[in-house]
Amino acid sequence: MLALRLTRSAHPAVQLRRLLVAAASAGTGFLLLCALGHALGHSGAPSASALRLAWCAAPMAATVHLAVAVARTDPGTRPRPGLSAVGLGPARLMAISATTTALSCALGSLLALLVFLFLRGGLTGVPSGGAAADFLAADRPLPFPATLTLLALVPLSASAAVAVTLRPREPAPGASRGARAYGRFGAARRPAGPETFGAYGRFGRQLGAAARGRRTARAPQEEKRGAVPDTPEAVPGVPEAVSGVPEAVPGAAEAVPGGTGVPPAPARSVLSGLPWGISVLAVGLAVEAFASRTGSDGAPVDRPGALVGLALTAVGLALAGPGLTHLCGLLLQAVRPGALRLLAGRILMTEAARIGRPLGVVCAVLSAAGAMASLSGSDGPSVGPLTTLGVLLVAGCTTATLLTAAVEAKHARADTTAALLRLGAPLTTLRKAAALRAGALLALFGPLTLAVAELSAWPLAR
């Protein structure tokens, strides 16, 4: 009931994103039902029906990916202070997100069933003819258990993925042990080196932060007596330009480090997937080249293996997306950057983990679509209506996921943007930085997509 109330009272933009999830679920459910209809009408060719059902995995994965991205940006289920007091902790909010996602996908599955029954003639009594009669099987009864199982795949998969993604995460065991670790004689932190027996009582080591607080409070009295105060300027490594700026301009503490307002993400965690992505991409291209070899009669030896290679190239691009986005941010800041390039590059480095993977998925989908278009344009098989629907569904879901991740990134840096505006940064500068980021990503991922599409289509067209 709470999930229904949150769904009804959400913002129109949030409702639009949920409707996109429902539409994607409807398209995927319709493709699954068409695979079932083809299996009913062609009982003598189970391999062809299984291949049609296997092709539905790509639209279903794209739909689940979109559902997870929409659930992450839902403001109604975002943890806020005070909700735990009324029983809405992180676990309860995660359950509400999963339930809301299941409701949206169930609505789409119900719409797919109604459209499929309408085309079969179950609602009007007149089935559709022509090319649609091949996958509708209007002359055969529709099995209820198989229909219910296929329609439940998308809601269950999407809700399970949302629950796994938004599950409450406990702090790392090493970090918790380090925070609660005590040194000798009850010291508040683990000593860096060995201590002797009398180290506890010397120079106030046992006091820690309390001693530093009392030294700060005694600073005015020490100044009157001629003592040197313990100020940040006297501490090595703290520049004078940093001290005093947050007090002069509230909220500018985030805008001081690096001069950009956006601290970069850890490069090791972002770039860790780049070698794996490049390796999987190379393996996929090698599989395509190996599968495109011809036998003695000139026929291709292993055409399904080429499709496996195409899938591997897509996975490689998706894995390499965050690392490539991070490197794009580094290239923007190379060779004596100005304030605009520094700001755009630092934001790209920060958002590499958030928008890099959806961008890599879009790159993979576009490269696969380009390879399929080049094959079908020459002497390849003709593209049917279900294939067109599947391609449009995958492309639309991945594009919507990328836009949703961009909206999430914009909301995540809202405080930093406000701090830059308070510091006097012009709004046109922020817009130019956004255009520069988009141009840099297009300049890197555009030629990469074309190159992968050509390399994927070349072995298959031989």
Side-chain angles (χ1 to χ4, degrees):
M1 186 61 66
L2 182 58
L4 289 175
R5 290 180 179 178
L6 291 175
T7 302
R8 185 182 59 183
S9 61
H11 194 269
V14 180
Q15 298 285 15
L16 179 61
R17 291 195 290 265
R18 291 172 180 171
L19 288 179
L20 288 178
V21 174
S25 176
T28 305
F30 183 77
L31 290 178
L32 291 172
L33 291 179
C34 290
L36 176 62
H38 185 273
L40 293 176
H42 302 80
S43 56
S47 58
S49 301
L51 183 60
R52 284 175 174 263
L53 186 61
W55 273 109
C56 296
M60 188 169 66
T63 302
V64 171
H65 195 199
L66 175 62
V68 171
V70 170
R72 290 182 59 179
T73 57
D74 193 350
T77 56
R78 189 175 301 165
R80 291 183 294 273
L83 291 181
S84 298
V86 294
L88 293 178
R92 184 73 179 276
L93 291 177
M94 177 268 295
I96 292 175
S97 298
T99 305
T100 304
T101 303
L103 290 176
S104 301
C105 294
L107 177 62
S109 297
L110 180 61
L111 180 61
L113 179 60
L114 292 178
V115 172
F116 188 74
L117 292 178
F118 176 78
L119 294 178
R120 279 174 53 91
L123 300 180
T124 60
V126 181
S128 300
D134 183 53
F135 55 83
L136 290 178
D139 56 341
R140 295 178 179 270
L142 196 64
F144 178 74
T147 304
L148 184 61
T149 301
L150 290 178
L151 291 179
L153 284 178
V154 177
L156 291 180
S157 302
S159 59
V162 169
V164 171
T165 304
L166 302 181
R167 69 187 185 277
R169 292 177 174 85
E170 297 293 336
S176 61
R177 287 195 301 265
R180 298 181 180 179
Y182 294 92
R184 294 182 178 90
F185 307 106
R189 58 185 177 88
R190 189 177 298 277
E195 297 179 353
T196 59
F197 180 81
Y200 174 76
R202 293 198 299 267
F203 306 108
R205 292 176 60 90
Q206 75 279 10
L207 299 180
R212 291 193 297 270
R214 284 198 290 269
R215 286 198 300 270
T216 306
R218 291 197 307 267
Q221 289 79 8
E222 293 178 356
E223 289 181 358
K224 294 180 181 179
R225 295 194 300 267
V228 179
D230 189 10
T231 58
E233 289 80 5
V235 180
V238 179
E240 296 181 359
V242 175
S243 59
V245 174
E247 291 79 4
V249 182
E254 298 88 354
V256 175
T260 62
V262 184
R268 181 176 300 177
S269 60
V270 175
L271 296 176
S272 60
L274 185 58
W276 291 101
I278 295 176
S279 301
V280 174
L281 177 62
V283 169
L285 294 176
V287 169
E288 291 179 9
F290 179 77
S292 63
R293 70 190 193 281
T294 56
S296 58
D297 55 350
V301 174
D302 190 10
R303 185 65 66 178
L307 300 178
V308 174
L310 192 63
L312 286 176
T313 57
V315 173
L317 285 174
L319 291 177
L324 292 176
T325 306
H326 192 274
L327 291 180
C328 188
L330 287 177
L331 291 178
L332 273 180
Q333 303 176 71
V335 191
R336 300 178 63 182
L340 186 61
R341 288 170 52 199
L342 193 63
L343 177 62
R346 186 63 62 89
I347 290 178
L348 274 184
M349 292 171 60
T350 305
E351 298 175 353
R354 183 177 284 111
I355 68 172
R357 195 170 302 278
L359 189 59
V361 172
V362 171
C363 181
V365 171
L366 291 179
S367 62
M372 292 177 60
S374 63
L375 290 178
S376 61
S378 55
D379 56 350
S382 59
V383 178
L386 294 183
T387 304
T388 304
L389 176 61
V391 171
L392 292 178
L393 185 62
V394 172
C397 287
T398 52
T399 305
T401 304
L402 178 60
L403 295 178
T404 304
V407 171
E408 182 186 4
K410 181 180 179 181
H411 292 166
R413 65 173 186 272
D415 296 337
T416 301
T417 304
L420 289 174
L421 293 176
R422 284 195 299 267
L423 284 173
L427 188 59
T428 56
T429 302
L430 301 180
R431 293 175 180 174
K432 290 180 181 179
L436 185 59
R437 294 196 305 271
L441 291 176
L442 184 61
L444 178 64
F445 282 91
L448 178 63
T449 303
L450 295 178
V452 173
E454 290 295 330
L455 290 176
S456 300
W458 178 67
L460 300 179
R462 292 175 56 186

